[in-house]
Amino acid sequence: MALKSMFGAIHNPNKYHSNCGDPYVADVYALAPIRQKVGLHICDGLNGQYEGGPSFMPQWMWPFNGLLVSRDPVALDYVGGRSLRKSAPRSA
């Protein structure tokens, strides 16, 4: 959510998606030009998607109808992850 969105600020981010971005998500956010400029994280949670991203896949979408806002990207990702696990429809 908040931390992984910083992949948009680096060249060729597709190389860093393996292992769910570990450890690259934290490494990218630790870069001074990124860490020092980001002050507020806003996650558009109007629709949630729990599979198949990053492109929109309507078969794995549900209406979450919420926004997550934080100055702390780790806190936003934690709350967002918990919300995802609680709210996403269960697979059959």
Side-chain angles (χ1 to χ4, degrees), residues 12 14 21 23 49 60-61 67 77 81-83 85 88:
N12 206 6
N14 60 319
Q49 181 172 315
W60 293 309
M61 186 275 299
L67 294 173
D77 285 356
R82 288 184 52 92
S83 298
R85 287 187 291 282

Side-chain angles (χ1 to χ4, degrees), residues 32-57:
I34 291 174
R35 184 185 69 251
Q36 293 170 354
K37 293 200 180 265
V38 178
L40 184 66
H41 303 271
I42 302 172
C43 177
D44 167 359
L46 300 179
N47 293 310
Q49 181 172 315
Y50 58 95
E51 184 71 48
S55 58
F56 178 64
M57 302 286 203

Side-chain angles (χ1 to χ4, degrees), residues 9 28 37 49 58-59 62 65 67 72-74 79 82 87 91:
V28 168
K37 293 200 180 265
Q49 181 172 315
Q59 68 269 35
W62 84 101
N65 297 320
L67 294 173
D72 181 341
V74 175
V79 171
R82 288 184 52 92
S87 302
S91 3

